[in-house]
């Protein structure tokens, strides 16, 4: 494996996996005041389009990474919308 | 421009720009309790590595997008660490 592929793989793992602690934190605390609705609306749509891009390109690493990130970002967005009611 | 390039461009714009409302929201409210330190630590390191990947590949769109995202994610991480003291 070349150094560039290694760096890209670690980068992809970190940016995808980073949403796991945020989703867990939000699920546990139900504190969504500090989370931006604008960010999660734009980000969820953005990663969903990265998923479409991966499908159009037939690129499995892009499909898998963005399928996971879309699910996590969408779950945080849903929690932001739902828990917001109690504020 | 092919449809795949169009989808990729919109996706890149949204995932990069989405951190602007989060950075502004955090700067204004100083409410960082709902923000996961684990997420912003892993995410900032991840996009910084995407930046290194872009430099190694000589790919300007990857360099520019991740330079912006790294700056925004790092600023949110710094606010999380700084404003945390007052909680």
């Amino acid at each position: 494996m070349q150094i560039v592929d290694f760096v890209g793989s670690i980068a992809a793992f970190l940016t995808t996996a980073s949403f796991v602690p945020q989703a867990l934190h939000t699920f546990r605390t139900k504190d969504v005041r500090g989370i931006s609705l604008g960010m999660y609306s734009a980000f969820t749509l953005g990663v969903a389009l990265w998923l479409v891009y991966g499908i159009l390109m037939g690129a499995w690493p892009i499909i898998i990474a963005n399928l996971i990130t879309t699910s996590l970002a969408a779950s945080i967005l849903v929690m932001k919308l739902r828990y917001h009611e109690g504020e």
Side-chain angles (χ1 to χ4, degrees), chain A:
Chain A
M1 189 189 256
Q2 285 192 297
I3 182 78
V4 63
D5 293 331
F6 180 71
V7 170
S9 302
I10 301 290
F13 174 77
L14 285 172
T15 49
T16 299
S18 64
F19 287 88
V20 173
Q22 180 65 64
L24 287 175
H25 182 81
T26 306
F27 183 73
R28 279 200 212 102
T29 64
K30 294 180 177 46
D31 183 346
V32 293
R33 282 171 300 182
I35 290 176
S36 161
L37 180 61
M39 171 184 162
Y40 278 94
S41 304
F43 191 81
T44 304
L45 182 60
V47 285
L49 285 176
W50 274 127
L51 178 60
V52 172
Y53 177 84
I55 292 166
L56 291 172
M57 295 280 281
W60 281 104
I62 298 177
I63 293 171
I64 294 166
N66 287 290
L67 198 60
I68 297 169
T69 314
T70 302
S71 309
L72 290 166
S75 74
I76 297 166
L77 178 61
V78 167
M79 286 189 280
K80 169 70 184 173
L81 293 168
R82 178 167 293 182
Y83 299 153
H84 190 71
E85 290 165 15
E87 283 169 21

